[in-house]
Amino acid sequence: MDKFKQTIFRFIKEWSLIAPGDRILIACSGGVDSVALLHFMASNQDSMEIEVAAIHVDHNLRGEESAADGTFVARLCEVYGIPFFGGSVPVPAIIEKDGGNVQAVCRNGRYAFFEEIMTKHGYDVLATAHHAEDQLETVLMQVTKGSQPLGMSVKREVEGGVLIRPFLPAMKANLYSYVGEHELHFREDPSNESDAYLRNRYRHKIVPFILDENPGAAENAVRMSGYLQEDEELLEMLAQERFDEITKFTEAGLPVVDGNAFSRMHQTLQRRIITLLLRYLYNGEIMPVKYNSALISQLLHHLSSQDGNVSIHLPRGYRFIREYGVLTFVRDTSIEEVELQKVLPKGVWTRWGNDFQLYWNEVSNLDTELFMDTDDIMYFDLPHSALPLSIRRRKDGDRILLPGMTHPKRLSRLFIDEKVGMTERDRLPVIITAQGEICAVPGVRYGVIFSRHKTDQSKYIVSTRKL
């Protein structure tokens, strides 16, 4: 067995990435990395007792050239005798209609399609071809942004199964050698050469310098980030155990913490318990970055202190109270509550809380003076049975079908991706149809039925303005 094969199999075994009976979907762009992974997995599927298929997504960014990438991958699958799943995400159209970051739109659409195919066709593992230099780039970007340098997960849960990265111990040169040895063809994406993307700037300007100083730096990053991920997993488990031991709940379901027990813990566990408390309060959502540092530090100081009584206002109407060594979280009733739901009448401005007004009408009935000071104007069409529209607060489990996606996205995930602050989320209006389907969150994102440009099919217009 050659050295490359030994390295990959050893890594797969060390991290328990693959087990006999797994049905594995290989994400293949047609580039050298993913072609090497596809060939490696297809060639070894019998000995590993697994099933392999390939999946490819065309982002419609390079016209016929990107379409040809999918055809290329499909033909590889014919040669290997494995299933092929192809899909597309109209990224340029999404960007023109809704704006956003190109790479983020690509990634969101791509993974939505991956998860859809995994669920529909029973594949429980998704494999990507990230390698050692990719991990080094990720660690460096995380350090630059002030995040923990955990790198990309060796494996993590996704909707439908688990994502694995079996090529992380391999260098890019190893992959070129592999495709050369097996006389494999692959395709080059010219966007990989563009320094318009942050990762490419690290790849072209910073990583080569580091590898010149130490050729083993990328493998070191893989090893270091792997250890850190294991440490983080252990600390999270210990924090959860301590959280369960020192936390009780009121009749309203709000946590009450034993302050004395909390103050005796190591600060590393204290920080993680605070994170668990915040996730519990905010329905499992991860706090946005802008809250992490200041809020966690403030709570850490007051939770671990025994001096006096303290009351702290938290995002979205919660309050932390420390009284006589007991740490309690309560709902601040002084915060104005937005109505739960109301019909959105056609042709009049409707107030929502203290923050928004919304208006919708038929395009043919427009009064242009109504829109002189609006923040957002969108056009749409709906069947009469979907009317009237209503507005309400968000609810747990809410989902919205966005342009370019094949299945609805959770609002909680959308708010995180769009960096919507915790205090804003319950104040935002959610527009629903008569059947209760969510079609828009004005000020954040609009669903597939909306367009920023008026067309012949645009029967209605909706507008939002902040007060």
Side-chain angles (χ1 to χ4, degrees):
M1 186 183 296
D2 62 50
K3 184 178 179 181
F4 176 79
K5 192 172 181 178
Q6 286 180 332
T7 298
I8 302 305
F9 278 156
R10 184 167 56 247
F11 187 75
I12 289 173
K13 182 178 180 180
E14 178 185 359
W15 286 91
S16 303
L17 299 185
I18 297 173
D22 282 345
R23 303 188 72 233
I24 303 178
L25 201 58
I26 310 296
C28 187
S29 66
V32 60
D33 307 342
S34 58
V35 164
L37 178 63
L38 181 60
H39 181 272
F40 184 91
M41 300 298 286
S43 300
N44 293 287
Q45 63 177 332
D46 291 340
S47 62
M48 298 171 72
E49 300 179 39
I50 59 175
E51 293 181 46
V52 172
I55 187 166
H56 174 87
V57 177
D58 179 3
H59 300 109
N60 296 163
L61 291 172
R62 293 179 288 117
E64 293 182 1
E65 184 181 22
S66 61
D69 292 343
T71 302
F72 170 75
V73 176
R75 288 174 179 167
L76 282 180
C77 292
E78 289 180 8
V79 173
Y80 301 152
I82 61 175
F84 168 78
F85 300 95
S88 64
V89 178
V91 173
I94 295 172
I95 296 296
E96 180 181 359
K97 182 178 179 182
D98 300 317
N101 177 277
V102 173
Q103 288 187 313
V105 172
C106 287
R107 186 184 186 282
N108 290 339
R110 182 168 66 247
Y111 275 86
F113 182 65
F114 291 164
E115 292 169 357
E116 177 187 3
I117 295 300
M118 290 179 71
T119 302
K120 183 176 180 180
H121 295 277
Y123 289 92
D124 45 14
V125 179
L126 172 68
T128 65
H130 295 102
H131 50 78
E133 283 109 314
D134 291 328
Q135 188 69 302
L136 176 58
E137 293 160 9
T138 301
V139 168
L140 291 171
M141 288 191 291
Q142 289 171 338
V143 170
T144 303
K145 294 176 180 179
S147 304
Q148 286 182 287
L150 297 174
M152 295 179 287
S153 302
V154 178
K155 62 179 178 180
R156 66 176 177 85
E157 291 184 359
V158 294
E159 194 166 325
V162 62
L163 180 150
I164 65 171
R165 296 183 169 99
F167 269 15
L168 277 182
M171 296 289 288
K172 184 82 169 185
N174 299 141
L175 304 185
Y176 275 110
S177 296
Y178 182 89
V179 299
E181 177 185 345
H182 293 278
E183 299 181 343
L184 305 177
H185 297 286
F186 58 90
R187 294 176 65 82
E188 294 284 5
D189 183 346
S191 67
N192 290 334
E193 301 303 316
S194 171
D195 282 344
Y197 301 114
L198 177 63
R199 182 175 288 275
N200 284 354
R201 294 197 292 275
Y202 276 82
R203 181 172 298 164
H204 299 153
K205 299 177 181 179
I206 300 175
V207 168
F209 172 79
I210 293 175
L211 293 179
D212 283 344
E213 291 292 317
N214 179 9
E219 289 101 324
N220 290 342
V222 172
R223 185 165 50 254
M224 176 193 71
S225 60
Y227 293 153
L228 288 175
Q229 289 171 30
E230 288 183 324
D231 292 348
E232 187 68 16
E233 183 179 350
L234 174 61
L235 288 169
E236 286 292 318
M237 181 182 69
L238 293 175
Q240 185 64 60
E241 290 176 356
R242 296 294 286 135
F243 175 87
D244 294 339
E245 291 171 2
I246 69 173
T247 307
K248 298 180 180 179
F249 297 91
T250 67
E251 290 184 1
L254 295 172
V256 179
V257 180
D258 182 338
N260 293 323
F262 182 89
S263 63
R264 291 193 296 268
M265 284 189 296
H266 192 282
Q267 193 173 96
T268 298
L269 288 179
Q270 289 179 340
R271 288 185 178 277
R272 283 165 172 76
I273 286 177
I274 290 173
T275 300
L276 290 174
L277 285 166
L278 294 175
R279 288 181 186 173
Y280 179 85
L281 288 178
Y282 302 114
N283 301 317
E285 298 165 7
I286 298 173
M287 294 290 286
V289 172
K290 69 178 181 179
Y291 288 122
N292 278 347
S293 178
L295 182 57
I296 291 177
S297 295
Q298 185 182 30
L299 285 172
L300 178 63
H301 171 72
H302 291 295
L303 279 162
S304 56
S305 175
Q306 300 295 314
D307 299 332
N309 298 329
V310 172
S311 176
I312 301 174
H313 289 285
L314 301 176
R316 212 200 292 167
Y318 289 105
R319 191 155 47 96
F320 161 72
I321 299 173
R322 187 188 70 216
E323 291 180 324
Y324 308 108
V326 178
L327 313 173
T328 309
F329 292 82
V330 300
R331 186 72 172 169
D332 193 341
T333 56
S334 66
I335 299 296
E336 179 192 0
E337 295 289 341
V338 177
E339 295 177 72
L340 294 178
Q341 181 171 326
K342 64 175 163 181
V343 172
L344 189 59
K346 185 171 67 172
V348 296
W349 283 100
T350 302
R351 190 183 185 96
W352 181 251
N354 291 326
D355 302 309
F356 295 90
Q357 281 188 323
L358 296 94
Y359 177 96
W360 74 284
N361 206 340
E362 295 180 16
V363 173
S364 58
N365 294 334
L366 283 186
D367 181 354
T368 56
E369 292 185 0
L370 287 171
F371 305 104
M372 293 182 64
D373 58 345
T374 58
D375 299 306
D376 218 1
I377 296 175
M378 300 291 287
Y379 297 90
F380 69 102
D381 187 20
L382 276 175
H384 184 73
S385 60
L387 304 176
L389 298 176
S390 295
I391 44 176
R392 63 165 172 81
R393 294 172 55 181
R394 71 183 187 114
K395 298 178 182 178
D396 292 342
D398 274 349
R399 291 174 178 263
I400 182 172
L401 183 61
L402 297 172
M405 293 191 174
T406 53
H407 69 282
K409 183 172 186 173
R410 295 189 301 272
L411 287 195
S412 58
R413 183 71 251 175
L414 175 66
F415 289 147
I416 292 169
D417 292 344
E418 297 292 332
K419 298 180 172 57
V420 178
M422 300 301 291
T423 55
E424 299 175 57
R425 298 183 188 183
D426 270 346
R427 302 179 186 273
L428 286 169
V430 174
I431 299 179
I432 61 174
T433 66
Q435 289 75 36
E437 294 181 353
I438 296 173
C439 51
V441 184
V444 181
R445 289 292 296 275
Y446 286 84
V448 293
I449 66 170
F450 292 91
S451 171
R452 294 195 179 278
H453 307 289
K454 181 181 176 183
T455 67
D456 293 338
Q457 287 73 43
S458 300
K459 187 175 181 180
Y460 301 103
I461 186 171
V462 64
S463 182
T464 308
R465 62 187 178 197
K466 291 186 178 181
L467 302 177

